């Protein structure tokens, strides 16, 4: 089992560019999440999904869009990147009767 | 914000000592979890305590929950250098396994 994987690991964007971050899990989990982590701020929930074809907003959804077309994948899109979106992005999944979230290794994004 | 807040923000101890970190939250919860994050890595689940539980143990970890004070504590006994990491509490306040994370306690265990 690979668990939760994220692609890419690092990315540098210019302001206004777009990109998609991919999260994949092989644990057949229903729930998937996207967080961002900024220094001293902990993790903040961007968007989450409770199942294939569903998405919902978290604490800081502005500037991001998501899609969950397949149960195992959760995509996070930035349509027009801004320097304020420079952060480390973590994907997580959870499922069954367990509340435990399994995290990916993170994507470090810099927007210049 | 419904985030939990950890205290202290940073803690430095000698190997073999106990480490205690606290989490306070604002609204009623269903359960509370603690996670560890090693530098540059993703978070790893440590332990979950439900709102109807007061104390839970897992190896060298002891978690307490006081719902009347809206607070939880994580105790790591006989700490090791490998325990050096950031520790986060996460509170579940509703459905869909949605959690709010605190800003973390950075623990440094000196060998």
């Amino acid at each position: 089992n690979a668990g939760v994987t994220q692609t890419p690991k690092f990315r540098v964007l210019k302001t206004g560019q777009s990109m998609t971050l991919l999260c994949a899990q092989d644990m057949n989990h229903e729930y998937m999440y996207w967080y961002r982590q900024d220094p001293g701020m902990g993790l903040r929930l961007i968007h989450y999904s409770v199942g294939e074809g569903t998405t919902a907003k978290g604490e800081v959804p502005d500037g991001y869009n998501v899609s969950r077309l397949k149960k195992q994948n959760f995509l996070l899109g930035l349509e027009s990147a801004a320097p304020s979106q420079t952060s480390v992005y973590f994907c997580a999944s959870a499922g069954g009767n367990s509340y435990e979230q399994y995290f990916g290794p993170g994507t470090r994004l810099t927007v210049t | 914000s419904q985030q939990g807040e950890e205290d202290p923000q940073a803690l430095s101890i000698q190997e073999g000592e106990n480490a205690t970190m606290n989490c306070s939250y604002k609204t009623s919860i269903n359960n509370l979890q603690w996670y560890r994050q090693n530098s540059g890595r993703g978070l790893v689940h440590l332990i979950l305590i439900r709102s109807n539980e007061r104390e839970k143990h897992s190896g060298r970890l002891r978690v307490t929950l006081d719902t009347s004070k809206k607070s939880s504590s994580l105790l790591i006994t006989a700490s090791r250098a490998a325990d050096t990491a950031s520790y986060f509490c996460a509170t579940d306040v509703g459905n869909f396994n949605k959690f709010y994370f605190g800003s973390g306690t950075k623990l440094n265990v000196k060998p």
Side-chain angles (χ1 to χ4, degrees), chain B residues 92-104:
Chain B
D92 166 26
V93 296
N95 297 324
F96 309 127
N97 275 21
K98 193 167 71 172
F99 285 87
Y100 293 96
F101 284 82
S103 53

Side-chain angles (χ1 to χ4, degrees), chain B:
Chain B
S1 168
Q2 298 180 24
Q3 278 185 330
E5 291 294 331
E6 286 91 344
D7 171 63
Q9 290 186 334
L11 181 60
S12 185
I13 59 173
Q14 292 293 138
E15 208 166 26
E17 293 180 339
N18 295 341
T20 300
M21 48 207 90
N22 305 294
C23 170
S24 59
Y25 55 91
K26 296 179 182 176
T27 61
S28 296
I29 60 171
N30 298 316
N31 59 69
L32 184 146
Q33 301 183 51
W34 285 91
Y35 285 80
R36 183 188 74 228
Q37 183 182 35
N38 290 91
S39 182
R41 309 289 291 273
L43 278 71
V44 174
H45 180 263
L46 294 176
I47 196 167
L48 177 148
I49 187 165
R50 298 182 187 277
S51 58
N52 60 355
E53 297 175 314
R54 291 297 167 259
E55 188 171 312
K56 206 160 181 183
H57 297 254
S58 177
R60 293 184 295 114
L61 305 180
R62 172 177 169 256
V63 170
T64 61
L65 179 64
D66 187 336
T67 53
S68 66
K69 293 181 179 178
K70 292 187 172 57
S71 67
S72 173
S73 68
L74 171 66
L75 169 67
I76 304 174
T77 60
S79 63
R80 306 166 182 167
D83 294 328
T84 294
S86 292
Y87 293 82
F88 295 88
C89 67
T91 52
D92 166 26
V93 296
N95 297 324
F96 309 127
N97 275 21
K98 193 167 71 172
F99 285 87
Y100 293 96
F101 284 82
S103 53
T105 291
K106 196 166 186 176
L107 174 65
N108 178 34
V109 182
K110 294 176 282 188

